[in-house]
Amino acid sequence: MVAVLIGTATFVMMRSLPGDAAWRIAAGRYGYDNVDAAAADAVRAELGLDGPALPALLQWLGDLARFDFGNSLVTGQPIVDEIAHQLGASASLALVAVLLSLLIGPPLGILAGLRPGGLLDRVLLVVSTGIKAIPQFLLALVLIVVLAVQLRWLPAAGHGEARHFILPSLTLALGLAAVNARIARDAMARIADMPFWRFAKWKGLSERQTLMRHGLRNVSVPLITYLGLQFVTLVEGVIIMESIFGWPGIGHALVHAIFSRDVPMVQGTALVLGLGFVMVNALIDVAVRRLDPRVAA
Amino acid sequence: MTKPFLKTALALACLALPTLAHADGTLDVVAQFEIQSPEPSTSGYIFTRMGVAETLVNANADGKLTPGLATSWEVSEDGLTWTFALRDGVAFHDGKAMTADTVVNALEIARAKPGPLRDLPITGMVANDGAVTITLSEPLAALPAFLAEFRSQILSPASFAADGTGVAIIGTGPYRITAIEPPLSLDATAFAGYWGAAPHIADVSYSGVSRVETRALMAESGEAKFVFGLDPASVSRLNMLDNVDVLSVAIPRTLLIKVNAAQPFLADPNARRALSLAIDRAGIAKAVLRYPEGADQLFPPSIAGWHSDAIAPLDYDVEAAKTLLKDLGWEAGSDGILMRDGERFAVTLTTYPDRPELPLVAAVLEQQFRAIGVELTINTTNSSAIPAGHQDGSLDLGLIARNFSLIPDPIGTVLSDYVGNGDWGAMNWKNPEFATLVRSLARGEGGDAERAAAAAILQAELPVIPIAWYQQTLAVSDKIDGAQIDPFERSFGLQDMRWAE
């Protein structure tokens, strides 16, 4: 159902864009030095772009039912292969960024939440608000200038090796961590204020034991729920990071496909992203249900 | 919950550390171009520039044709039969020998796809013993130059699927591809069976990085050894660094305004001259492009023969421009915009952002045209809007960058752009004298005097208004010696580079 909706919506949107698709595809294929009427005509003849819309849509849906995404109009390669390659690059980047953000954000947030109003809490509020307020592309450029150009510790851009992960994932992670640190801090402060927390301490548990036994599970529920929402921010961020750091990811592919009217490619990428969103949220619901017995009851 | 996380992260970091060491034996090339697929008709220029694929004919820095995979070529008396003698002992990267049959196969496949070969008057290509014969229906002196273009690259038959689509790039060049990952990367290593001198640097890689800021930062940090396509701002910064050399060369590409000569306001050559006089080319060159000078005629000095010192240079003179327009019946209206018969002198300038300087120059032109009372609306859109607007006649003015030597002899581009109805050339402009001159040049008759005469006609009539001649700039690490820029943009010259001592 989601697949049909996304596919149809992207199809209608791409069809209703102004400009002749054959020209745009030809420009995408041959570049601005070589796009001319002959190239556009060749594209039009090859792809049968003049045909009516409804049969084209129905055919795409039929192919989809057989898990056939078709071929890219620009490169001629099977879309499944292109997406698999690009999704892999984007997903690994996103995964590293999320792990990194969980390493940075929640521990700091929990420490701050244990002492609301303390020095760490106040510093964290300023820093996380500051980071959140900086556009990600600016943060990325600042990190490149400092860590790659000035200090020469890391490569400025590129992909393929482990060290290429660090800068883009760190940029993404800082943005995510700025928010989940706040979530963790608020959750921790709320929990530390509850009667069961005082009871745990009263019965003789140390601060550390209380946190491990009673705190973490409680804090993790809002954090994980919020992770689902952050998926959208993450997709957005990945698109920007891919363009700045030269990553061959799905965001990069989607932007280029829209520019050159590569309709099957747009449908394929939008579908994968849409299904990905549904899947991530389903997984998070399951995870929350397991963590929080109150939801299951 | 945090502890296992930290442990996992530490373990991951330890695993990652060995790969953090940079493989310094590779010459990393970075440019803006994306590899679409192993298809010579679309991404072929990347493979020829990287030294993976080669053409029958090469061109040197002066645009003179030199032997490539063909050692020599000759044409019959009537100009209709060309014979290209092939180099002996050339092997493709798959071990197969290059024969006349494989060459004809590659050229026939190229000719069936959109590209310059398809429009040539070729009637047949025949494989002889060690030579290829191409027959024409009319003389074409520039045929060898067409065979130097990237889409005429010679690939092994195994490079193509049954329908002619490229599936792998199996060329004859000094480098063979070891890994290709469209859209952004390519690795290659020296090909042991190369017919020529072995390259000094064995391993090379290509990365497509679309943002110019990122490319400049990669050059600055030493991450990439050879960075192609820099913007003016980055060039001035990179010039201050010790570990990077910035190379710059004038290339046969001109920034120009394509004019619809059928548009009622622009039909009179004097109206086009007035627009030309309103353009402060030196100012645009210095402030926007950071070039030493603007263009004073269409063809840059690097196009020998066509660039002429004899023709009067294009001037900047706002008062003269106003006088010309006044003589055409235009009077300034209340807001300063010219009016004639109740119509405002308002036109649209279409351009595209693929080359980042174009929208900037368009913004400056809007100001400079306003100074003579012409209102410009800028439409920055997809590059295909220029040829599409040419075809349906909707274009007024187009700000474009046109390369005259994608085929090393500009005659092909001049013929299609200013005699034929080329999408990127003159629009609704015809000049019989010019057409006769250029057609005879294309047949191989006439010389530099005829070329200069043709250039003078373009200067007088201004079917397009030249603004600047391009400079190609690139940054090379000081760890590399022997880097040069090819003004014809055919090769990165990797095989001639060596590690600095």
Side-chain angles (χ1 to χ4, degrees), chain A residues 32-48:
Chain A
Y32 56 80
D33 273 331
N34 301 309
V35 55
D36 58 13
D41 287 344
V43 167
R44 202 186 313 274
E46 178 193 328
L47 301 175

PDB file of all heavy atoms in Angstrom, chain A residues 32-48:
ATOM      1  N   TYR A  32      26.193  19.328 -20.565  1.00  0.00           N
ATOM      2  CA  TYR A  32      25.764  20.555 -21.228  1.00  0.00           C
ATOM      3  C   TYR A  32      26.527  20.853 -22.499  1.00  0.00           C
ATOM      4  O   TYR A  32      26.069  21.614 -23.336  1.00  0.00           O
ATOM      5  CB  TYR A  32      25.821  21.750 -20.265  1.00  0.00           C
ATOM      6  CG  TYR A  32      27.173  21.967 -19.653  1.00  0.00           C
ATOM      7  CD1 TYR A  32      28.174  22.614 -20.336  1.00  0.00           C
ATOM      8  CD2 TYR A  32      27.443  21.506 -18.370  1.00  0.00           C
ATOM      9  CE1 TYR A  32      29.415  22.797 -19.765  1.00  0.00           C
ATOM     10  CE2 TYR A  32      28.675  21.684 -17.807  1.00  0.00           C
ATOM     11  CZ  TYR A  32      29.654  22.332 -18.494  1.00  0.00           C
ATOM     12  OH  TYR A  32      30.884  22.502 -17.938  1.00  0.00           O
ATOM     13  N   ASP A  33      27.719  20.263 -22.665  1.00  0.00           N
ATOM     14  CA  ASP A  33      28.456  20.537 -23.892  1.00  0.00           C
ATOM     15  C   ASP A  33      27.851  19.803 -25.084  1.00  0.00           C
ATOM     16  O   ASP A  33      28.066  20.182 -26.221  1.00  0.00           O
ATOM     17  CB  ASP A  33      29.915  20.105 -23.752  1.00  0.00           C
ATOM     18  CG  ASP A  33      30.767  21.204 -23.147  1.00  0.00           C
ATOM     19  OD1 ASP A  33      30.420  22.380 -23.341  1.00  0.00           O
ATOM     20  OD2 ASP A  33      31.760  20.881 -22.492  1.00  0.00           O
ATOM     21  N   ASN A  34      27.140  18.733 -24.805  1.00  0.00           N
ATOM     22  CA  ASN A  34      26.734  17.854 -25.900  1.00  0.00           C
ATOM     23  C   ASN A  34      25.238  17.674 -26.045  1.00  0.00           C
ATOM     24  O   ASN A  34      24.794  16.932 -26.909  1.00  0.00           O
ATOM     25  CB  ASN A  34      27.388  16.486 -25.713  1.00  0.00           C
ATOM     26  CG  ASN A  34      28.896  16.596 -25.688  1.00  0.00           C
ATOM     27  OD1 ASN A  34      29.485  17.191 -26.577  1.00  0.00           O
ATOM     28  ND2 ASN A  34      29.508  16.083 -24.649  1.00  0.00           N
ATOM     29  N   VAL A  35      24.442  18.326 -25.194  1.00  0.00           N
ATOM     30  CA  VAL A  35      23.002  18.141 -25.326  1.00  0.00           C
ATOM     31  C   VAL A  35      22.500  18.990 -26.502  1.00  0.00           C
ATOM     32  O   VAL A  35      22.792  20.171 -26.614  1.00  0.00           O
ATOM     33  CB  VAL A  35      22.260  18.469 -24.014  1.00  0.00           C
ATOM     34  CG1 VAL A  35      22.575  19.864 -23.520  1.00  0.00           C
ATOM     35  CG2 VAL A  35      20.772  18.314 -24.197  1.00  0.00           C
ATOM     36  N   ASP A  36      21.827  18.366 -27.431  1.00  0.00           N
ATOM     37  CA  ASP A  36      21.242  19.099 -28.549  1.00  0.00           C
ATOM     38  C   ASP A  36      19.971  18.377 -29.006  1.00  0.00           C
ATOM     39  O   ASP A  36      19.578  17.363 -28.427  1.00  0.00           O
ATOM     40  CB  ASP A  36      22.248  19.285 -29.689  1.00  0.00           C
ATOM     41  CG  ASP A  36      22.771  17.949 -30.215  1.00  0.00           C
ATOM     42  OD1 ASP A  36      22.182  16.911 -29.883  1.00  0.00           O
ATOM     43  OD2 ASP A  36      23.767  17.968 -30.965  1.00  0.00           O
ATOM     44  N   ALA A  37      19.350  18.930 -30.029  1.00  0.00           N
ATOM     45  CA  ALA A  37      18.063  18.388 -30.463  1.00  0.00           C
ATOM     46  C   ALA A  37      18.187  16.921 -30.862  1.00  0.00           C
ATOM     47  O   ALA A  37      17.295  16.115 -30.582  1.00  0.00           O
ATOM     48  CB  ALA A  37      17.534  19.215 -31.626  1.00  0.00           C
ATOM     49  N   ALA A  38      19.323  16.544 -31.495  1.00  0.00           N
ATOM     50  CA  ALA A  38      19.496  15.163 -31.941  1.00  0.00           C
ATOM     51  C   ALA A  38      19.516  14.220 -30.737  1.00  0.00           C
ATOM     52  O   ALA A  38      18.884  13.157 -30.736  1.00  0.00           O
ATOM     53  CB  ALA A  38      20.799  15.034 -32.735  1.00  0.00           C
ATOM     54  N   ALA A  39      20.248  14.640 -29.673  1.00  0.00           N
ATOM     55  CA  ALA A  39      20.342  13.809 -28.481  1.00  0.00           C
ATOM     56  C   ALA A  39      18.963  13.671 -27.822  1.00  0.00           C
ATOM     57  O   ALA A  39      18.565  12.582 -27.403  1.00  0.00           O
ATOM     58  CB  ALA A  39      21.344  14.411 -27.501  1.00  0.00           C
ATOM     59  N   ALA A  40      18.215  14.791 -27.768  1.00  0.00           N
ATOM     60  CA  ALA A  40      16.889  14.751 -27.147  1.00  0.00           C
ATOM     61  C   ALA A  40      15.944  13.857 -27.943  1.00  0.00           C
ATOM     62  O   ALA A  40      15.175  13.077 -27.367  1.00  0.00           O
ATOM     63  CB  ALA A  40      16.320  16.168 -27.035  1.00  0.00           C
ATOM     64  N   ASP A  41      16.043  13.944 -29.267  1.00  0.00           N
ATOM     65  CA  ASP A  41      15.179  13.100 -30.101  1.00  0.00           C
ATOM     66  C   ASP A  41      15.516  11.625 -29.915  1.00  0.00           C
ATOM     67  O   ASP A  41      14.628  10.774 -29.871  1.00  0.00           O
ATOM     68  CB  ASP A  41      15.325  13.487 -31.580  1.00  0.00           C
ATOM     69  CG  ASP A  41      14.653  14.820 -31.865  1.00  0.00           C
ATOM     70  OD1 ASP A  41      13.848  15.248 -31.017  1.00  0.00           O
ATOM     71  OD2 ASP A  41      14.947  15.423 -32.912  1.00  0.00           O
ATOM     72  N   ALA A  42      16.831  11.340 -29.814  1.00  0.00           N
ATOM     73  CA  ALA A  42      17.246   9.953 -29.627  1.00  0.00           C
ATOM     74  C   ALA A  42      16.682   9.416 -28.314  1.00  0.00           C
ATOM     75  O   ALA A  42      16.189   8.290 -28.242  1.00  0.00           O
ATOM     76  CB  ALA A  42      18.773   9.857 -29.633  1.00  0.00           C
ATOM     77  N   VAL A  43      16.735  10.253 -27.273  1.00  0.00           N
ATOM     78  CA  VAL A  43      16.209   9.846 -25.964  1.00  0.00           C
ATOM     79  C   VAL A  43      14.698   9.611 -26.056  1.00  0.00           C
ATOM     80  O   VAL A  43      14.170   8.611 -25.571  1.00  0.00           O
ATOM     81  CB  VAL A  43      16.515  10.938 -24.912  1.00  0.00           C
ATOM     82  CG1 VAL A  43      15.721  10.703 -23.641  1.00  0.00           C
ATOM     83  CG2 VAL A  43      18.003  10.965 -24.598  1.00  0.00           C
ATOM     84  N   ARG A  44      14.012  10.541 -26.738  1.00  0.00           N
ATOM     85  CA  ARG A  44      12.556  10.445 -26.856  1.00  0.00           C
ATOM     86  C   ARG A  44      12.155   9.150 -27.571  1.00  0.00           C
ATOM     87  O   ARG A  44      11.271   8.417 -27.121  1.00  0.00           O
ATOM     88  CB  ARG A  44      12.025  11.653 -27.640  1.00  0.00           C
ATOM     89  CG  ARG A  44      10.561  11.956 -27.394  1.00  0.00           C
ATOM     90  CD  ARG A  44      10.076  13.061 -28.312  1.00  0.00           C
ATOM     91  NE  ARG A  44      10.972  14.212 -28.362  1.00  0.00           N
ATOM     92  CZ  ARG A  44      10.922  15.221 -27.494  1.00  0.00           C
ATOM     93  NH1 ARG A  44      10.053  15.209 -26.527  1.00  0.00           N
ATOM     94  NH2 ARG A  44      11.759  16.232 -27.603  1.00  0.00           N
ATOM     95  N   ALA A  45      12.893   8.858 -28.662  1.00  0.00           N
ATOM     96  CA  ALA A  45      12.563   7.667 -29.434  1.00  0.00           C
ATOM     97  C   ALA A  45      12.862   6.400 -28.629  1.00  0.00           C
ATOM     98  O   ALA A  45      12.087   5.452 -28.605  1.00  0.00           O
ATOM     99  CB  ALA A  45      13.360   7.669 -30.744  1.00  0.00           C
ATOM    100  N   GLU A  46      13.997   6.430 -27.926  1.00  0.00           N
ATOM    101  CA  GLU A  46      14.425   5.231 -27.197  1.00  0.00           C
ATOM    102  C   GLU A  46      13.463   4.905 -26.058  1.00  0.00           C
ATOM    103  O   GLU A  46      13.145   3.748 -25.809  1.00  0.00           O
ATOM    104  CB  GLU A  46      15.837   5.469 -26.656  1.00  0.00           C
ATOM    105  CG  GLU A  46      16.363   4.311 -25.829  1.00  0.00           C
ATOM    106  CD  GLU A  46      17.621   4.708 -25.051  1.00  0.00           C
ATOM    107  OE1 GLU A  46      18.390   5.541 -25.560  1.00  0.00           O
ATOM    108  OE2 GLU A  46      17.803   4.185 -23.942  1.00  0.00           O
ATOM    109  N   LEU A  47      12.993   5.929 -25.367  1.00  0.00           N
ATOM    110  CA  LEU A  47      12.230   5.686 -24.147  1.00  0.00           C
ATOM    111  C   LEU A  47      10.725   5.770 -24.353  1.00  0.00           C
ATOM    112  O   LEU A  47       9.963   5.478 -23.444  1.00  0.00           O
ATOM    113  CB  LEU A  47      12.638   6.694 -23.063  1.00  0.00           C
ATOM    114  CG  LEU A  47      14.123   6.658 -22.698  1.00  0.00           C
ATOM    115  CD1 LEU A  47      14.445   7.761 -21.705  1.00  0.00           C
ATOM    116  CD2 LEU A  47      14.501   5.310 -22.098  1.00  0.00           C
ATOM    117  N   GLY A  48      10.282   6.179 -25.540  1.00  0.00           N
ATOM    118  CA  GLY A  48       8.850   6.294 -25.787  1.00  0.00           C
ATOM    119  C   GLY A  48       8.189   7.260 -24.829  1.00  0.00           C
ATOM    120  O   GLY A  48       7.156   6.958 -24.230  1.00  0.00           O
TER     121      GLY A  48
END
